[in-house]
């Protein structure tokens, strides 16, 4: 009968100092969050007047704010005050909205007398 070799574990190997990457604490790591439902970014059409671009960007910002308000429980335009909209903008990392943008946000929110089913 053959003799069995003793089972020995190899010591764990560690990366050499030249290959290791510096570790950062969890609190300073930046995390990229992607929304799975977001559409790919497409460049805006060229040749439009400046007002068109300003209106377009205002509408995009107002839509983002309206969605954030709906997610936070604000379902009617009456509850969406300028202060609440500004607070929501700060919370989601958007520049403070103007009064015109706040009006546009309220117009995006559903009204109670609408035809919602």
């Amino acid at each position: 009968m053959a003799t069995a070799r003793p089972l020995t574990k190899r010591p764990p190997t560690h990366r050499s100092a030249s290959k290791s990457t510096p570790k950062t604490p969890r609190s300073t790591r930046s995390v990229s969050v992607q929304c799975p439902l977001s559409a790919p970014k497409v460049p805006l059409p060229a040749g439009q007047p400046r007002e068109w671009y300003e209106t377009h960007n205002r509408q995009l910002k107002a839509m983002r704010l309206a969605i954030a308000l709906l997610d936070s429980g604000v379902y009617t335009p009456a509850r969406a005050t300028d202060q609440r909209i500004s607070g929501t903008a700060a919370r989601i990392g958007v520049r403070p909205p103007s009064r015109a943008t706040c009006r546009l946000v309220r117009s995006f929110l559903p009204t109670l007398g609408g035809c919602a089913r």
Side-chain angles (χ1 to χ4, degrees), residues 44 51-61:
L44 294 176
E51 293 80 26
W52 184 89
Y53 295 105
E54 290 172 355
T55 303
H56 179 76
N57 289 332
R58 184 185 308 273
Q59 289 172 346
L60 292 177
K61 181 177 185 176

Side-chain angles (χ1 to χ4, degrees), residues 10-113:
R10 293 209 273 168
T13 58
H14 297 288
R15 292 184 195 172
S16 66
S18 63
K19 291 183 182 178
S20 68
T21 56
K23 300 217 176 197
T24 57
R26 276 190 189 263
S27 61
T28 60
R29 287 184 188 169
S30 64
V31 177
S32 174
V33 178
Q34 274 190 321
C35 179
L37 301 177
S38 64
K41 290 192 175 185
V42 182
L44 294 176
Q48 299 292 330
R50 181 175 179 84
E51 293 80 26
W52 184 89
Y53 295 105
E54 290 172 355
T55 303
H56 179 76
N57 289 332
R58 184 185 308 273
Q59 289 172 346
L60 292 177
K61 181 177 185 176
M63 187 60 72
R64 282 193 295 272
L65 287 168
I67 291 169
L69 283 169
L70 289 170
D71 287 343
S72 68
V74 178
Y75 299 114
T76 60
R79 291 191 57 207
T81 62
D82 287 355
Q83 292 81 16
R84 183 167 280 173
I85 294 171
S86 295
T88 303
R91 186 170 45 88
I92 66 171
V94 176
R95 288 177 54 96
S98 65
R99 294 186 73 189
T101 304
C102 291
R103 283 193 304 271
L104 190 56
V105 169
R106 282 189 284 277
S107 73
F108 284 147
L109 294 176
T111 59
L112 292 176

